[in-house]
Structures are given as C-alpha cells and as structure tokens.
Amino acid sequence: QRRLNRQPPVTLLDVFQEHVRRRPRWPLLRFQDEVYTYEDIERWSNRAARVFSQHLELQPGQTVAVFLPNEPTYVWTWLALAKLSCPMACLNCNVRGRALQHALAAAQATLILASPGE
C-alpha cells in the first residue's frame, strides 16, 4: 500500500530495476532449457529499447500493439516499451480474423510488433 501511495507511484519497471541493481545474477526467467538473470533481461530490454527508439522512431506516449507468443522476447519487449514510456497493447497471439481486427482497432496503436510467424 505504501508504494502505491508514493508520488510518483512505484512502477513494475522501478521494481525490476531495483532487482537488477541488488541481484543482477539471480535467475528471473526460465524458458525451456534457458535461464535468464535480471542482468540478462536488463541487457536485452536495453537493446530492444535502442532499436525501437532509433530504427522505429518510437516516441513517449506512442501506443504499440504487441502480438508475440509467450516467450522471453515478450518480457524484454514489454520492459523496453516501459523504458521508452510507450503504452503496450497486449494482443492475444492466438486470436485471428474479426476478433484481431477489433483488438487492433480498440488499441489505437501506431505500431504493431509481431514475431515472424504471426
């Protein structure tokens, strides 16, 4: 409750970055045979943020629709967008057709990030 009442409020990005500072080599994510530490995820999210900013020219406040399967890329994409202050519209990667069209319209995103298979 204390964190929610702070001004400005503490975000999940703030909590993540605190863990990176305190426990960089602790495991954060296990996916199949891979283990990713806080430091690994921080490095990947920083790379993604640079690419999004420099090559896609994302600006703070620009909504991005994310159409990715549940895999590590999703985590560092979310963190990268948070670092750029870009709201993320999470799209279910199993949705197709009219439901997907509706979700995209509702998101009012200016960009869609998807994996090659999508």
Side-chain angles (χ1 to χ4, degrees), residues 96-113:
R96 298 288 188 270
R98 293 183 77 187
L100 179 57
Q101 288 175 334
H102 173 75
L104 285 169
Q108 297 180 335
T110 56
L111 179 73
I112 300 170
L113 295 175

Side-chain angles (χ1 to χ4, degrees), residues 4 18 48 57 70 75 93 95 103 109:
L4 294 175
E18 180 65 24
E57 299 177 358
N70 292 330
V75 176
C93 67
V95 173

Side-chain angles (χ1 to χ4, degrees), residues 58 62-66 77 81 86-90 107 109-113:
L58 282 178
Q62 193 173 350
T63 301
V64 178
V66 176
T77 297
L81 292 173
C86 292
M88 180 170 128
C90 306
T110 56
L111 179 73
I112 300 170
L113 295 175

Side-chain angles (χ1 to χ4, degrees), residues 28-43:
L28 170 63
L29 182 64
R30 183 180 308 262
F31 182 75
Q32 296 173 351
D33 294 336
E34 296 288 325
V35 174
Y36 297 90
T37 65
Y38 283 94
E39 185 175 57
D40 295 331
I41 301 295
E42 173 75 348
R43 188 172 32 257

Side-chain angles (χ1 to χ4, degrees), residues 65-76:
V66 176
F67 194 57
L68 297 171
N70 292 330
E71 58 186 31
T73 305
Y74 190 95
V75 176
W76 58 71

